Amino acid sequence: MTDDPFLVHRSLLFTVAYELLGSAADAEDVVQESWLRWSRVDRDEVREPRAYLVRVVTRQALNRLRSVSRRREDYVGEWLPEPLLTSPDVAGDVELAEHVSIAMLTVLETLGPIERAVFVLHEVFETPFDEIARAVGRTPAAVRQIAHRARAHVAARRPRMQVDAAQQRAVVERFMAAVSTGDVQGLLAVLAPDVVLTADGGGLAAAARRPVTGAATVAAFLARAVELHDLVATVAWFNGQPGIRIDAGGSVTAVSVLVEDGRITALYAMRNPEKLDWVERVAELRR
């Protein structure tokens, strides 16, 4: 049935789960688990289906988050959130695009599970504190305190993102032109002096095990990569932001870019093949 509340809100539920987990695969599992629970519920007793479903997804995501956090302790190299191929339309909701960006998801990784859930539900989805309290098993007063701490924590670390998508795309295209030809001077012109390149290969693909820092070092690193591989670089929209898809030797790299003050301050390169499923299909993100 097309009017089934679960189907109506499925994109929202996926977005909530993805925001909490940073993994599309885990988010899909959470949504499926939530569907099974929804299928067993007496619908007549559910007054507000949207709120109820968000609550169910949040609880399932929190359970998953506690288990995957232990799994990530044994992860090989740097762990990055899983990139999503999105339509340019997502960028039209500036606040959503900022919160689902790889840069912001990386910041959210520094929060504890409950703090992350409270922050995401309140700041991104504008969920009332009493409803969040029911979702996370805390009192409304406690949730308010958690929200205050989480907001301060994120504010101290959140990137100063460039909101104008057209300007950001222009910077990305300059970077792409330089990296495609191994133009070190062109790279230096578009990279911020303190730029950081973080790569995630998960032990399954060649990737720097630690972040590469500094414009000169990052430019040299990228130029060497171009020398070793014939690559094709194209602009792609990842997580509501212009990024770069690089195809080389049958492998794919999804590069998410953080632009601040007209220069690139962070590059997030996903090379782990197990975390690239969603660069081949468009994810529908909703609030």
Side-chain angles (χ1 to χ4, degrees):
M1 294 174 59
T2 57
D3 59 349
D4 184 326
F6 189 94
L7 299 180
V8 171
H9 298 300
R10 195 185 191 289
S11 294
L12 162 71
L13 301 177
F14 174 81
T15 307
V16 171
Y18 176 70
E19 275 274 322
L20 294 179
L21 294 162
S23 164
D26 287 326
E28 282 279 274
D29 287 345
V30 162
V31 171
Q32 183 61 32
E33 291 164 3
S34 299
W35 160 249
L36 294 175
R37 291 175 181 272
W38 172 250
S39 67
R40 296 193 293 265
V41 168
D42 183 349
R43 312 291 171 82
D44 293 333
E45 295 184 0
V46 180
R47 294 182 180 179
E48 300 179 2
R50 182 185 186 277
Y52 177 85
L53 288 167
V54 168
R55 186 161 67 243
V56 171
V57 164
T58 299
R59 289 173 178 170
Q60 294 300 310
L62 282 172
N63 291 337
R64 179 65 62 105
L65 194 57
R66 294 185 182 101
S67 63
V68 299
S69 62
R70 292 191 293 270
R71 194 170 71 214
R72 289 174 191 170
E73 292 177 1
D74 299 323
Y75 197 78
V76 178
E78 295 290 321
W79 187 94
L80 286 175
E82 188 174 348
L84 300 179
L85 181 66
T86 54
S87 70
D89 295 344
V90 174
D93 186 339
V94 174
E95 188 173 357
L96 176 62
E98 177 184 355
H99 281 288
V100 300
S101 70
I102 295 296
M104 178 59 82
L105 290 173
T106 302
V107 172
L108 294 183
E109 285 294 318
T110 64
L111 291 171
I114 296 294
E115 287 180 317
R116 182 167 183 168
V118 170
F119 179 86
V120 166
L121 291 177
H122 187 253
E123 297 294 322
V124 184
F125 299 98
E126 300 177 345
T127 307
F129 285 126
D130 58 343
E131 180 59 34
I132 297 175
R134 286 192 286 272
V136 302
R138 299 287 193 276
T139 65
V143 165
R144 286 180 181 274
Q145 292 181 339
I146 294 170
H148 177 74
R149 291 198 305 270
R151 194 180 303 115
H153 179 94
V154 172
R157 295 164 177 79
R158 74 188 307 158
R160 303 183 310 279
M161 300 184 69
Q162 186 160 324
V163 176
D164 188 304
Q167 293 180 24
Q168 184 169 359
R169 176 162 183 157
V171 173
V172 168
E173 288 178 342
R174 286 168 54 204
F175 170 79
M176 187 176 67
V179 79
S180 296
T181 58
D183 178 4
V184 174
Q185 290 305 313
L187 288 169
L188 291 175
V190 76
L191 298 174
D194 56 352
V195 64
V196 179
L197 165 63
T198 306
D200 180 341
L204 301 175
R209 293 290 181 91
R210 295 183 179 182
V212 181
T213 60
T217 306
V218 170
F221 178 87
L222 293 172
R224 283 198 302 273
V226 173
E227 289 179 0
L228 294 174
H229 305 283
D230 291 328
L231 57 83
V232 177
T234 53
V235 174
W237 288 79
F238 297 127
N239 298 64
Q241 307 286 334
I244 301 168
R245 173 182 171 133
I246 298 175
D247 290 89
S251 66
V252 176
T253 302
V255 182
S256 299
V257 179
L258 175 60
V259 177
E260 300 177 273
D261 300 325
R263 283 191 166 188
I264 294 173
T265 57
L267 294 159
Y268 306 94
M270 177 55 67
R271 291 187 46 75
N272 184 344
E274 294 184 347
K275 296 166 75 172
L276 287 166
D277 286 349
W278 280 80
V279 302
E280 303 295 346
R281 51 177 170 158
V282 177
E284 293 188 13
L285 302 180
R286 297 286 185 272
R287 285 206 291 170

